[in-house]
Amino acid sequence: MKLPKGVHRVRRKLANGKSRIHFYYGRGKGSPKFWEDDHRNPTDPDFLIAYAEIAKRPKPSILMCPALAELFLESVAMPKGERSKQDIKKWLLRWAAHFHDAPAVIWEERGSRGEMNKWRAKWKHSPKQHDMAGTHAVRLLNWAVEEGHISEHHCDKLKRLYEVDRSDIVWTRADRDAFNAKAPEWVRRILTVACETGLRPGDLIKLNRGQIEETAKGRRLRIRKTNKRGRSAHIPIDGELAAVIDQTPRDRFLILTNASGGPLTEHRASEGVRQWRDKAGLSSELRLQDCRGTAATMLLNAGLSLSEIADFMGWSIRTASQVIEHYARVAPDETDAVLVKLSQVRGGEKRTKL
């Protein structure tokens, strides 16, 4: 006998090792069970009677995909950053519009992974957007499982198209000199502090006098919680970083500002560097975020170990070592001293591990 429409069967093991089939009207959490049997296709006439009775009952409200997305957007699971909020909202509204007529429980079915991939394929022309679509949708589904809206989903570890490693893209001394020869002071200060500290744009725009601390041998910047990793960072103030701080007007609280002396946004800081990078004729690959290789080398010269540099940058020890080595090779004025020091630090790290 072919099962009636809407019937879902689940095999459950009994304590004695045998199994029994449970029949539900509908799928997903909350679907009512109306029959049990030893056979996948019941032959008892009462099965159809039980089915007819359950089918007559008012159907419980079904959580649809758009409503699920709305619940997430209103939840405490949303990130605090305004830019992150807008990115997630944009992609989840697209996801909700595409699956507007689908109940949330479809993601409990194995075939739903294929539906997710079909939706992501709308952006196959842009690998970065293709992957971003899946990232935010899976974030929603993970939350839905945690909150009990669905029991499971099958969209973990979606295949990614966008693969890039920017760890070896660095601002050399020559790049910085060419940039500084063209850019106005407020933009030069941004690039200098980024190269000296390795901080991300979200932390750079917040740097202020209240983060400067006196130490036994000088000064340091203390960032209690970095924007990305939420960890404290302690950065020695010397060289060009010290010059920027000392040249900041005494009545100005923020270290970095826009052309008018007002607060910066992440976008304006990054865009300012991009605009003057182009005017200086430098590679379009260089971005404000790529100052971290320069900063890693500065930290090495300041006496930090590879493990300390890796923790500060959010890299593995191997990546930190490779980035510094690459920087030294593309920056001739740094090569000899940096490579010697790097070799010494590598040896120390290995001995410590042993």
Side-chain angles (χ1 to χ4, degrees):
M1 181 185 70
K2 185 178 180 181
L3 290 177
K5 183 179 180 180
V7 175
H8 177 54
R9 57 191 167 199
V10 177
R11 182 183 296 275
R12 301 195 184 280
K13 287 188 177 182
L14 303 176
N16 59 11
K18 296 182 179 180
S19 60
R20 192 163 175 79
I21 310 296
H22 292 223
F23 294 83
Y24 295 83
Y25 182 60
R27 291 176 176 267
K29 189 175 181 179
S31 297
K33 183 178 74 174
F34 68 93
W35 190 261
E36 290 185 26
D37 209 297
D38 294 327
H39 305 286
R40 287 175 54 82
N41 296 295
T43 56
D44 190 329
D46 288 342
F47 171 79
L48 294 177
I49 295 174
Y51 167 77
E53 290 179 352
I54 198 70
K56 289 179 182 178
R57 295 181 186 177
K59 294 182 179 179
S61 59
I62 299 175
L63 181 64
M64 305 297 285
C65 286
L68 182 66
E70 185 176 344
L71 287 173
F72 178 83
L73 293 173
E74 294 176 352
S75 73
V76 295
M78 285 287 284
K80 294 181 180 180
E82 192 59 35
R83 183 175 178 181
S84 296
K85 284 183 180 178
Q86 293 304 317
D87 284 344
I88 292 174
K89 183 176 181 180
K90 176 182 71 175
W91 285 107
L92 292 192
L93 289 180
R94 289 175 175 176
W95 179 86
H98 183 82
F99 297 103
H100 68 278
D101 58 351
V105 292
I106 67 165
W107 303 105
E108 297 177 355
E109 301 178 9
R110 291 188 178 278
S112 61
R113 187 182 183 92
E115 295 301 317
M116 180 72 79
N117 285 330
K118 287 179 184 177
W119 173 66
R120 293 197 304 155
K122 294 170 66 175
W123 294 279
K124 62 183 179 182
H125 62 282
S126 173
K128 194 170 184 179
Q129 291 192 77
H130 171 276
D131 293 351
M132 192 67 68
T135 296
H136 290 311
V138 171
R139 182 175 187 169
L140 166 65
L141 296 182
N142 288 340
W143 171 83
V145 172
E146 290 179 1
E147 295 297 315
H149 296 301
I150 57 178
S151 60
E152 61 177 339
H153 74 82
H154 300 277
C155 297
D156 286 322
K157 298 180 180 179
L158 295 172
K159 184 177 179 180
R160 302 179 69 85
L161 300 182
Y162 183 72
E163 295 182 4
V164 61
D165 180 6
R166 301 186 60 83
S167 61
D168 62 348
I169 300 176
V170 298
W171 288 79
T172 66
R173 184 73 258 179
D175 293 331
R176 294 172 64 184
D177 289 343
F179 181 90
N180 290 337
K182 291 283 187 179
E185 183 186 7
W186 71 274
V187 186
R188 294 200 303 266
R189 289 167 60 89
I190 294 173
L191 183 65
T192 296
V193 175
C195 288
E196 292 295 306
T197 64
L199 293 173
R200 296 175 174 85
D203 295 309
L204 289 173
I205 64 174
K206 299 175 186 176
L207 282 180
N208 59 73
R209 292 189 179 278
Q211 295 169 320
I212 301 174
E213 293 183 343
E214 298 292 333
T215 67
K217 297 182 179 180
R219 294 175 295 172
R220 70 179 182 184
L221 280 174
R222 182 185 181 189
I223 292 85
R224 286 181 171 79
K225 285 197 174 183
T226 56
N227 198 47
K228 184 77 172 179
R229 305 187 70 214
R231 294 186 178 180
S232 296
H234 301 87
I235 305 166
I237 297 176
D238 58 7
E240 294 182 58
L241 177 59
V244 169
I245 291 175
D246 293 340
Q247 292 166 9
T248 303
R250 291 291 181 183
D251 60 348
R252 183 180 293 172
F253 183 63
L254 292 172
I255 304 299
L256 301 175
T257 64
N258 58 27
S260 303
L264 280 165
T265 63
E266 290 185 50
H267 175 74
R268 187 68 192 102
S270 298
E271 189 65 9
V273 170
R274 185 197 67 77
Q275 290 172 344
W276 288 98
R277 172 207 68 194
D278 292 345
K279 290 180 181 180
L282 299 174
S283 169
S284 60
E285 285 288 310
L286 289 170
R287 301 177 187 174
L288 181 58
Q289 293 89 332
D290 297 320
C291 298
R292 293 168 71 72
T294 310
T297 303
M298 182 272 293
L299 292 173
L300 178 72
N301 286 330
L304 275 70
S305 68
L306 277 179
S307 58
E308 289 170 327
I309 295 172
D311 183 62
F312 179 72
M313 294 293 180
W315 296 335
S316 66
I317 293 177
R318 180 181 179 184
T319 298
S321 174
Q322 291 174 339
V323 170
I324 293 171
E325 182 175 28
H326 175 81
Y327 177 82
R329 295 191 186 286
V330 298
D333 55 324
E334 297 272 10
T335 300
D336 294 338
V338 170
L339 290 181
V340 169
K341 187 170 291 188
L342 179 61
S343 177
Q344 294 172 344
V345 173
R346 278 173 172 165
E349 293 283 346
K350 289 179 180 178
R351 287 193 295 273
T352 301
K353 289 182 180 179
L354 292 175

